[in-house]
């Protein structure tokens, strides 16, 4: 018998203690099945989840929100780790900082970041012209958090973003006289921008407002026109338009309209601002048209027509008083070369044109592009996987007497160097530099002397470069191809076969995974994880052939290269084979979906960011965003049954089957216009229905963001922390390594 306690509370029980009840495991939302038939080339496909494409359907929105709730419940235990990583990123970031000023038309332009604020503040100060070139082209010393006399705020991103769920700039431009400032703003994440123009003399906005423009507006040299791009219903840039200030938008002129659905249109001003350069291209050939600002009535002038099937870029400029064009092209040059031709040559048939060789073709060197200043040609090349900058004087260019290229010398094996924004008349060339171990640097290179001026290294509080190691390793693919790998780790980590590892890759569109510094990545390395970047075929790291061997009917090389890199890692001693995770985004997300089907047992977890996992469905529908443009990357499954069968054989969504899939997280954005949210949403539903394992498959959808994720820097840090916490938790690598002794 139990007696009451003296104070009236129940007396302690002498019975056996009750078994505590375990909270029920979170249950994923069940996506209902609505069979939809798709028939191509006699092949019938039944898709149960295509109904999730109806973005405006309240049921779809409710389903995505339910997925977010499930994801939060499943990963709730990772919240302390997410918070820890966020704080580590924050603590390693000098929150009040600024960019290195860039001189343009008599002003120094720069941006400030301030502690506690999400977005940059764009500013400028007047430059000096004393006749001392070294002094006049040395950036002013602007201190973080301290205004300098004469500083003018062009745009405060924080004020623009106030009260909006999303904010991104799609480009800015200033007139040559420095009086007007154009800027394009996106507040939804769908990459359709509103163009506004500010009078910098008064601070007032002009009445001119243009809606639904694309990236990178530009002013004509006289400041009376602003040029902009417009996308069509498939989100393809197809029109270049001109708006004359003070007129109605309905009066805007279409400078060029591109009706070929497989071609992408862009434009820029030539370096000397004498021409508007309109570029029309796909991944295999292109066409450039020039508008001479001194004779706009003459209209656009085509250089090499697309019918010649040459992939090229063109830079018109004056050399010794003659109108010339610098061409970076692949005519009889798979890795591209640089030629020089008089502008009048392009009135002739191609076979009769005279092009002088400036940079010859080299099987070991990929030429990425060439530009000019008033005195030098600036060349971007890739050699031994590394992007480099070379400089050649214009004097004697293409005559056989030109000077040899000069290349700034850096002291690391793995780095990235590229030319940045600069004034055409600048006596120095602005360079950006980064490596896996070196935070971003800004240099000014003086071609006349070869001197390299370090203007800034991004401060990273608490960072000890000596605590980390980056090395180049090579895996061998199943067909014998050597695959370059970048291996990153803490210096005390040893190849004893016990380490967790994270393998990352992209592998499409000839896009290279170049060395870069990541503050967020340090939080992974600090937990003993060996991080490996696999430079698989389909990227551009080893030249144009490396790309061509990983596209269209050779696309599977991308996937098998990644699996073979995984096998190298498992056998290298750097990783415990049972503790390897995989990560990739966009087309790299397609890679994640493919390897999940090919070798799910090799991965402790897979993180797919904005993943292109239903490519066949998308590319079969030319009305979907960018689908027709994708034919040059994957092939055209609408017209070619071989391409259709090949894509179907690797498409992640099409090939989900009963397998013990590892923990998988798909991270996407509701307003993404490049990879629609529906692809990962369908993929996750099918994975859950098919998996024979018990590992969770989760979908996380940012309901406000676009393809690039959250817009503010703090929100972006939270996204990175979420992604890495998911991986680290699966790897059992949640604790920091002890400090070095």
């Amino acid at each position: 018998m139990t007696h009451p306690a003296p104070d009236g509370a129940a007396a302690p029980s002498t019975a056996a203690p009750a078994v505590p009840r375990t909270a029920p495991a979170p249950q994923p939302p069940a996506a209902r099945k609505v069979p939809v038939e798709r028939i191509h080339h006699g092949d019938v496909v039944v898709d149960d989840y295509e109904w999730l494409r109806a973005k405006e359907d309240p049921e779809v929105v409710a389903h995505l929100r339910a997925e977010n709730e499930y994801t939060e419940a499943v990963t709730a235990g990772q919240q302390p780790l997410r918070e820890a990583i966020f704080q580590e990123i924050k603590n390693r970031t000098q929150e009040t900082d600024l960019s290195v000023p860039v001189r343009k038309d008599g002003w120094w332009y720069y941006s400030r970041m301030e502690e506690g604020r999400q977005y940059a503040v764009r500013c400028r100060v007047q430059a000096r012209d004393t006749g001392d070139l070294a002094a006049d082209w040395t950036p002013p010393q602007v201190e973080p958090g301290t205004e300098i006399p004469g500083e003018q705020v062009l745009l405060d991103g924080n004020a623009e973003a106030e009260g909006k769920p999303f904010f991104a700039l799609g480009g800015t431009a200033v007139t040559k006289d420095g009086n007007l400032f154009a800027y394009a703003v996106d507040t939804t994440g769908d990459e359709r921008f509103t163009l506004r123009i500010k009078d910098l003399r008064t601070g007032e906005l002009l009445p001119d407002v243009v809606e639904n423009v694309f990236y990178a507006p530009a002013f004509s040299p006289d400041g009376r026109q602003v040029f902009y791009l417009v996308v069509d219903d498939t989100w393809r840039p197809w029109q270049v338009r001109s708006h004359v200030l003070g007129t109605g938008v309905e009066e805007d002129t279409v400078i060029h309209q591109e009706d070929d659905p497989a071609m992408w249109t862009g434009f820029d001003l030539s370096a000397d601002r004498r021409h508007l350069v309109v570029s029309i291209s796909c991944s295999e050939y292109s066409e450039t048209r020039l508008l001479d600002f001194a004779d706009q009535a003459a209209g656009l002038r085509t250089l090499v027509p697309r019918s010649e099937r040459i992939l090229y870029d063109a830079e018109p400029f004056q050399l010794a008083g003659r109108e010339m064009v610098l061409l970076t092209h692949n005519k009889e040059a798979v890795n591209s070369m640089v030629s020089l031709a008089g502008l009048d040559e392009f009135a002739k048939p191609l076979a009769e044109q005279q092009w002088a060789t400036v940079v010859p073709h080299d099987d070991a060197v990929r030429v990425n592009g060439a530009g000019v200043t008033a005195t030098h040609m600036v060349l971007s090349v890739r050699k031994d996987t590394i992007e480099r900058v070379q400089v050649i004087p214009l004097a004697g260019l293409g005559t056989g007497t030109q000077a040899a290229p000069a290349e700034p010398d850096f002291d690391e094996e793995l780095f990235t160097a590229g030319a940045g924004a600069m004034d055409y008349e600048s006596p120095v060339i602005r360079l950006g530099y980064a490596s896996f171990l070196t935070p971003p640097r800004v240099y000014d290179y003086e071609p006349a002397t070869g001197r390299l001026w370090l203007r800034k290294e991004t401060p990273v509080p608490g960072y000890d470069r000596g605590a980390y190691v980056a090395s180049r390793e090579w895996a061998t693919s199943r067909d014998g191809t050597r695959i370059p790998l970048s291996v990153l780790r803490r210096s005390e980590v040893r190849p004893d076969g016990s380490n967790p590892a994270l393998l990352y890759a992209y592998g499409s569109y000839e896009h290279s995974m170049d060395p870069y510094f990541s503050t967020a990545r340090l939080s992974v390395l600090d937990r003993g994880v060996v991080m490996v970047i696999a430079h698989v075929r389909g990227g551009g790291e080893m030249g144009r052939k490396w790309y061509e061997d990983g596209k269209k009917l050779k696309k599977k090389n991308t996937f098998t290269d990644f699996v073979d890199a995984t096998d190298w890692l498992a056998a290298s001693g750097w990783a415990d084979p049972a503790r390897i995770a995989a990560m990739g985004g966009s087309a790299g997300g397609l890679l994640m979906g493919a390897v999940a089907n090919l070798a799910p047992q090799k991965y402790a977890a897979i993180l797919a960011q904005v993943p292109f996992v239903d490519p066949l469905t998308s590319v079969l529908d030319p009305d979907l965003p960018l689908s027709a443009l994708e034919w040059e990357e994957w092939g055209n499954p609408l017209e070619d049954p071989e391409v259709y069968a090949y894509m179907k054989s690797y498409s992640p969504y099409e090939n989900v089957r009963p397998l013990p899939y590892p923990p998988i997280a798909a991270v996407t954005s509701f307003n993404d216009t490049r990879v629609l949210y529906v692809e990962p949403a369908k993929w996750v539903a099918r994975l859950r229905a098919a998996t024979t394992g018990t590992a969770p498959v989760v979908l996380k959808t940012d309901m406000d963001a676009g393809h690039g994720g959250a817009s503010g820097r703090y929100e972006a840090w939270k996204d990175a922390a979420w992604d890495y916490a998911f991986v680290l938790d699966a790897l059992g690598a949640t604790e920091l390594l002890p400090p070095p002794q």
Side-chain angles (χ1 to χ4, degrees), residues 104-105 109 124 154 171-184 195-201 204-206 208 210 215-229 240-246 267-277 291 293 296:
K104 188 80 171 175
D105 299 323
Y109 291 88
R124 72 177 183 178
L154 307 179
T172 63
V174 182
T175 52
K176 190 173 182 179
D177 61 15
N179 292 335
L180 301 178
F181 175 73
Y183 62 100
L195 177 65
R196 292 186 171 86
I197 299 167
K198 181 179 180 181
D199 190 327
L200 297 176
R201 295 162 295 188
E204 299 297 321
L205 290 175
L206 300 188
D208 305 73
V210 186
Y215 290 93
F219 281 109
S220 60
D222 62 9
R224 296 178 181 176
Q225 299 167 270
V226 61
F227 298 95
Y228 62 93
L229 281 168
V240 180
R241 296 184 186 178
S242 166
H243 173 74
V244 177
L245 300 187
F267 74 87
D268 205 346
L269 301 188
S270 60
D272 59 11
R273 287 189 286 200
R274 299 176 63 252
H275 290 88
L276 182 76
V277 183
L291 179 68
F293 286 123
Q296 289 198 49

Side-chain angles (χ1 to χ4, degrees), residues 382-388 412-418 432-441 470-472 485-488 512-518 521 533 535 541:
R382 184 178 300 280
K383 183 179 180 181
D384 300 327
T385 78
I386 301 302
E387 187 171 1
R388 309 160 186 269
E412 291 185 88
E413 176 192 12
L414 305 178
F415 66 88
T416 303
Y433 175 92
S435 80
F436 292 120
L437 304 181
T438 302
R441 289 177 175 175
S471 63
R472 168 57 43 81
L485 310 174
S486 298
V487 180
L488 317 177
S512 299
M513 293 290 99
D514 291 322
Y516 69 99
F517 185 83
S518 167
R521 187 199 295 134
I533 299 169
H535 305 286
E541 290 90 341

Side-chain angles (χ1 to χ4, degrees), residues 478-545:
R478 59 198 65 186
D479 65 5
T481 302
R482 298 179 75 227
I483 308 161
L485 310 174
S486 298
V487 180
L488 317 177
R489 58 181 173 85
R490 276 279 292 262
S491 56
E492 66 265 43
V493 170
R494 295 289 177 262
D496 58 9
S498 68
N499 305 307
L502 174 59
L503 191 64
Y504 176 86
Y506 184 75
S508 291
Y509 302 106
E510 202 180 357
H511 184 69
S512 299
M513 293 290 99
D514 291 322
Y516 69 99
F517 185 83
S518 167
T519 301
R521 187 199 295 134
L522 298 178
S523 292
V524 178
L525 301 179
D526 284 351
R527 287 169 171 81
V529 176
V530 175
M531 188 162 182
V532 178
I533 299 169
H535 305 286
V536 295
R537 282 175 282 186
E541 290 90 341
M542 299 288 284
R544 179 73 180 186
K545 189 174 186 302

